Amino acid sequence: MKKEMTAPLTLIFMTQWMLLITQLCVGWHCTDCMNGSAIENFSCVIYNISLMNCTWQPGRDAPGDTQYFLYWQNSRNRYEDAMECELYVKDENGRNTGCMFQNVSIEPEKAYFLVNGSSKDALIQFYDEYIQLYKIEKLMPPSNITVNCDETKNYCIIQWQQPQISHSNKDNCFKYEINIKYKDNPEGKTKYTSIQEWANSHTFQRSNTRKKYLLKMRAAGSACFVSPAWGEWSAPVEFGNEEIISSSVWILLVVAIATFLVVIGAILFCKRTGCWKAAFPQIPEPKQVLRGLPDTNPKLMESKIQSITSENEEIILITDVVK
């Protein structure tokens, strides 16, 4: 049953591909095709291991009703691999300007891409290109990143696993960039950076053991059929010991703040209720001897002054005798 279904399906693919090749051969000699109608700025990228996104722009001189169609083939030797885009991305005018592919497998051979177009007003030029898929792959970051620090020797061992790709599982295909910053200044200058090739571990010597660090990594191909461009950064990994204030210092700080608040509160309360005057009464001024005397006779006042003076003299004499 499977053989009966596979043969017609293969025949259909081959028929469609041969028809497309025939159209292309005619297209090479298309003297009536409109110049400037082929697509521009064609590019593709593979991400998340097996997803591929291709984009382009309509030809600058293409008629407004021009519609474009993308075909691609992963291997030039197998016609059954030829396929048209199943999920187009459209612009505001409804024209196809991109395509999303799933379950894309990367092979050493170059893949063939072709975008042709159709319009009621003119014959549209086609665009084609051969691309090595591994060169357009955006690598995932290294996985399972761990950091283990030795507090007595002031170093940390960083370990990781290679990024997952669909066409290789060799460790010696990658190089890695390690970036480390202080946690309290993540946007500041990089504290440490290192490039590691063909490895899955690295020893980091800490210059400050009382700091927290943030580490991130990314990968690029150094051999095999792996993209030499740097891939995505990993999520930050935190490690190290943050400097901690001792409990006694915290207690003293809390007591000082509480005392200060109590004193401020008491002062404000006394000012509001008047208890401040009761706690600190004002010292009265000394009474004036001569103020308010009922008898203002000058002779009488003179005799009183003399009597007061004589009393003071006696007191002074007694003081001198005692001395």
Side-chain angles (χ1 to χ4, degrees), residues 58-79:
R60 66 189 70 181
D61 296 325
D65 70 333
T66 303
Q67 187 60 283
Y68 295 99
F69 306 94
L70 170 63
Y71 301 85
W72 83 293
Q73 182 187 21
N74 203 2
S75 173
R76 71 182 74 180
N77 297 323
R78 292 180 296 175
Y79 296 113

Side-chain angles (χ1 to χ4, degrees), residues 12-33:
I12 291 173
F13 275 120
M14 291 181 63
T15 302
Q16 291 178 344
W17 186 247
M18 292 302 297
L19 178 61
L20 183 59
I21 294 298
T22 303
Q23 293 174 348
L24 292 180
C25 292
V26 175
W28 281 113
H29 307 286
C30 180
T31 57
D32 297 330
C33 290

